[in-house]
Amino acid sequence: MNSSLLLSIVTFVYCLAAFLYIAAWVFKKKELAVAATWVTIAALIGNVAGMGMRWHESYQIGDGSYGHAPLSNLYESLVFFAATIALIYLVVEYRYKNRTLGAFVMPIAFLCMAYASFGTMNKIQPLIPALKSNWLIAHVITCFFGYAAFAISFGVSLIFLFKDRFQDKNKDTGRSFLPSVALLEELTHQMVTFGFLFLTIGIITGAVWANSAWGSYWTWDPKETWSLITWFVYASLLHARFARGWGGQRIAYLSIIGFMAVLFTYFGVNYLPGLHSYGSV
Amino acid sequence: MLSLAVTSIIGTIVPQNGNPAAYKQQYGEVFYNLFNRLGIFDMYHCWWFQVMLIMLTLNITVCSIQRLSKTWKIIFPTQLSFNRSRFQKRANREEFQNQGALEQLRKEYESFLNQQIGHSIVERTKKGFCVFAEKMRWTRLGVYFVHLSVILLLLGGLIGSLFGFNGSVNIAEGEAADAIWVRNSHEKRQLPFTIRCDDFDVSFYDTGAPREFRSTLTLLENGEPVLTENIIVNDPLRYKGINMFQASYGQLPPEAPKIDPDMEVSLNLLSRESGMQYQRKTKIGQVVELPEGKGKFVIKEFQPSLEFGNMKLGETFIGLLTPSQGEETKVILPVKYARFDTMRKGAIVISITNDAEDFHAGHDHTVRYYTGLQVNSDPGVWVVYAGFLIMIIGCYITFFMSHQQVCIEVIKSGKNNRVFISGITNKNKLSMQNKIKKLAQSLKHVSKQEEL
Ligand code: HEM
């Protein structure tokens, strides 16, 4: 058993969880949703265990010189991303006592893992000198907590729009199983604020790290610029909400736009030249 | 009128926030390409960018001051007061009934709120009383912290670009430098000290990827060493506000081999006319009489690796031939290519018969490195860091802490008391609702205990 195998299995467990959540929502079966929660917990445990194993494995090769926390390339970051999504989702599910959201969130975690397992190179590589810093760990963890919260707010916004559109017509379908519009709005806001705080810390730790490695905290590297753009999108969302009292649909659209910016920051930027290392697929 | 003014200002927020992003995106990519080609991309010093930052700073400052002067009184009132009717309209209002003397209840509820929320005040009404308490009023300032932090960041950036510098220098092992090349310009900048690179090491993983670059640097002031330290990537050296970062490294071209000037060079001379071959021994600078009266030849210099056209000739001697009649000609004699001189079509074909290895003597085989240092000074960095800290704290306060006010109202109606409890918060209404529910539960409990 090695970490790659375990994480491949975890991919399918996430798939099962997503499938169960969707089934529970469509057929309105609470038992399925409860099962989905447990499957998600199992997947998360497997996910974290897989990362732990990978960490350990990195010390077994190259006379230990490769050893590093599994947060240094695209594969490792996707695996971590899936774990943060699952973790935050479970907390939300627990706090808001609603299990339908999983139908929209777990597929994202599954897609992350699927992309990681089948679309990227998962060999353990040694760290280049620039990445050898504790700031790397702080930076990646905070950024991905932010991204994961944004991913969930994206899922929630989708449900919101979906519900908003179809609510009045055919009332008695699976949709009534969805949380109330007010709760969805609240959740979007909670996730955006949580994500924003972490994105802020993520950008800041990145800047501090850059300052210790290259001597300037901001160099307009495309990834930095795009993370700033993302930050601006969410800041606009917050201003629209706080200062102008926007709500509902418009906030939902903004949160979707924000998540698109997140995705571009994460993947799209790799097609531009820069310092960040997740480019190597 | 004021509200109109404020709304028009608010109207500028969203495009304000969107625009810099769009600008950076558009100009960012274009300039980035320029940077790659011309190396002149310097966002921080671009005039339109600076103007935008200043506009942004002004906007936030003006907005915040305007807002703050309006809300200051709300945030720090000289006297605590509250408006009962606002609490009566709350959707989260909970009601229950109990019995008991009003005065007794008042005391209980007052201490209850003191305990649960904060200092409470009581207002007597016609048919009963109100107890009111609040906490974390100051969290309304969170937004201003965030805005202050944005201003600090911009200010720090400005200070950095005005009073700081950023440049780089390459120093070969064993050598020293006291000036750097300022980035994106052709200026040199003098440093207040001299950096000497004592040693440079690069280690590799078994994959061939670099593992660590390490330079041992000594700083000298007035020729006196003051400090010696190793630096690696992510671990710079800081001295007198100037930071030295390990940025890159490279190999120096191998040093020119010094061959012994008295070294014996063996020549083979082939006469085209007679087909005879002659052997001669000579040295650099020593004139050789050519056979058959064909003139004189002297070796002028030695080149360790000569390139001729696009041929790499390697170790090569260059000589001067003075024929008995005609003009002097330059003769190129690569050690490895004995037939090279036939191309000259001269009367005598000259070649070197030594082995190429004979001329490796004194050749320095160890690779020499130079270390690439980035050297900068940024007096604004602490302002920026302060901004970072305040931003994190401010965001936390703004998002997750709220000003909470709770009011319990008791109205005597007949034998019973009707008790209302409701709360106002500036954020997170849902959690306030839950809180009121919980408070109502414990309130019932409080009064029941007293009844027994
Ligand atoms: C580059 C970043 C920012 C800019 C340019 C900016 C700009 C502004 C401006 C100009 C206003 C004035 C609105 C008015 O007077 O009505 C404002 C209000 C506000 N901003 Fe920002 N802001 C920024 C960052 C943030 C962040 C990160 C947050 C959230 C943590 C935030 C939260 C707010 C809030 C809540 C208000 C409303 C204030 C109130 O109602 O009293 N701002 N912002």
Side-chain angles (χ1 to χ4, degrees), chain A residues 239 242, chain B residues 10 13 56 59-60 63 67 143-144 146-147 399:
Chain A
H239 279 90
F242 282 137
Chain B
I10 295 175
I13 299 176
L56 191 73
N59 196 330
I60 307 182
C63 259
R67 282 246 151 189
V143 178
Y144 303 101
V146 177
H147 287 173
F399 296 149

Side-chain angles (χ1 to χ4, degrees), chain B residues 310-342:
Chain B
N310 46 18
M311 256 181 86
K312 285 203 168 67
L313 295 182
E315 294 83 357
T316 303
F317 287 92
I318 295 170
L320 192 67
L321 183 95
T322 319
S324 42
Q325 309 125 25
E327 287 184 23
E328 295 188 331
T329 37
K330 190 171 148 188
V331 182
I332 295 171
L333 301 175
V335 181
K336 280 185 232 156
Y337 305 99
R339 293 168 50 78
F340 190 82
D341 193 42
T342 42

Side-chain angles (χ1 to χ4, degrees), chain B residues 131-147:
Chain B
V131 192
F132 162 88
E134 65 171 356
K135 69 172 174 187
M136 300 209 280
R137 185 180 274 273
W138 60 272
T139 60
R140 284 179 185 264
L141 283 174
V143 178
Y144 303 101
F145 279 115
V146 177
H147 287 173

Side-chain angles (χ1 to χ4, degrees), chain A residues 65-66 126-127 129-130 132 186 193 196 200 204 209 211-215 217-218 220 232 236 238-239 244 273, chain B residues 10 17 24 29 32 43-44 49 157 205-207 210-211 234 236 245 374 376 378 381 384-385 388 391 399 428:
Chain A
S65 64
Y66 284 29
L127 282 185
K132 284 186 188 164
E186 165 78 16
T193 49
F196 191 82
T200 306
I204 289 174
W209 173 27
N211 193 35
S212 79
W214 295 287
Y217 47 84
W218 197 261
W220 301 105
F232 271 119
S236 308
L238 293 171
H239 279 90
R244 300 185 108 192
Chain B
I10 295 175
N17 270 328
K24 268 157 228 153
E29 316 318 353
Y32 204 90
M43 200 90 174
Y44 275 127
F49 186 74
Y205 292 108
D206 48 18
T207 59
R211 182 173 168 187
N234 271 313
F245 299 87
Q374 172 138 3
N376 78 0
D378 187 350
V381 81
V384 171
Y385 278 15
F388 284 164
M391 176 171 282
F399 296 149
N428 209 345

